[in-house]
Amino acid sequence: MQFTIADLEREPANFSVALPPKAIDFGEEATQLGDLAAAGRAEVLHEHRGPKEIVADIRLKGTFSGNFEVPCARCVEPVQHALTGEYDLLFRPPGVDALGNEHAISTPETEIGYYENGGLALEDVLREQVLLSLPARTLCQPDCKGLCPRCGVNRNETACSCDQGPSDPRWEALAGLSSRLKN
Ligand SMILES: [Zn+2]
Ligand SMILES: [Zn+2]
């Protein structure tokens, strides 16, 4: 769903959508299960920065909720998360906060984004909001034993007998990758 500044200048847009899995690409960090629901309102906010300078921002305010699967940071098994969140975000036109104009920023930096090509895709905003709402580190259980660095078995399921011998760097790379995803 695309919000353009031209449409929003005419009238604000209220939205309520149910996005099926794969409507948004969450990469390897999360897999969406079932629909992702999102509802809220998009509108134009005019920032009066001077007698002649008016900046047309897009304000997007709403909620989302959905179920996601995230790989365990140690054993890479999928773990389910029910995620909900609220957002109230401001998107400025590109370039308005170029050097020398920074005094104009009045709201906390983290809530400011920029729209491109005259508009904003709801899907892009939701992708970021969902990823931000994920726990910093997901474990399938607090004492997950992880993957054996030598043979690669899931040590929660199988006791392997490789206490000695050289380790296989491929499994260490996989374990390192999954922990990096969460850092
Ligand atoms: Zn695990
Ligand atoms: Zn092993």
Side-chain angles (χ1 to χ4, degrees):
M1 174 175 258
Q2 191 82 15
F3 302 114
T4 68
I5 199 86
D7 288 345
L8 297 177
E9 288 277 15
R10 279 195 291 277
E11 59 175 346
N14 294 308
F15 61 90
S16 177
V17 295
L19 299 169
K22 297 199 173 20
I24 298 175
D25 181 8
F26 292 102
E28 292 174 9
E29 290 195 61
T31 303
Q32 183 184 324
L33 307 173
D35 285 351
L36 172 65
R41 181 178 172 91
E43 62 190 347
V44 177
L45 213 75
H46 292 114
E47 280 188 76
H48 295 259
R49 293 190 167 186
K52 287 185 184 145
E53 194 189 1
I54 297 174
V55 176
D57 299 338
I58 297 177
R59 183 189 187 189
L60 191 69
K61 190 176 187 316
T63 59
F64 71 85
S65 71
N67 291 307
F68 291 85
E69 242 173 31
V70 176
C72 170
R74 287 186 196 149
C75 72
V76 210
E77 284 297 310
V79 182
Q80 281 200 30
H81 285 294
L83 298 178
T84 60
E86 293 181 5
Y87 40 90
D88 188 356
L89 306 161
L90 199 62
F91 297 88
R92 291 189 165 135
V96 292
D97 290 324
L99 283 177
N101 229 345
E102 276 152 71
H103 62 277
I105 295 177
S106 54
T107 38
E109 193 87 34
T110 48
E111 296 182 9
I112 305 264
Y114 297 90
Y115 61 84
E116 285 169 10
N117 305 320
L120 192 65
L122 178 63
E123 288 81 356
D124 291 341
V125 175
L126 291 176
R127 179 193 300 111
E128 193 178 355
Q129 293 301 309
V130 165
L131 294 177
L132 285 172
S133 73
L134 286 174
R137 188 162 195 255
T138 291
L139 292 176
C140 61
Q141 52 196 34
D143 59 347
C144 170
K145 298 186 185 76
L147 301 177
C148 170
R150 297 200 170 88
C151 71
V153 301
N154 183 338
R155 290 190 291 196
N156 302 309
E157 295 167 355
T158 314
C160 61
S161 51
C162 24
D163 322 41
Q164 309 126 4
S167 66
D168 185 331
R170 286 174 301 169
W171 299 116
E172 288 179 346
L174 180 58
L177 176 71
S178 62
S179 62
R180 263 209 317 282
L181 284 173
K182 290 290 105 200
N183 288 339

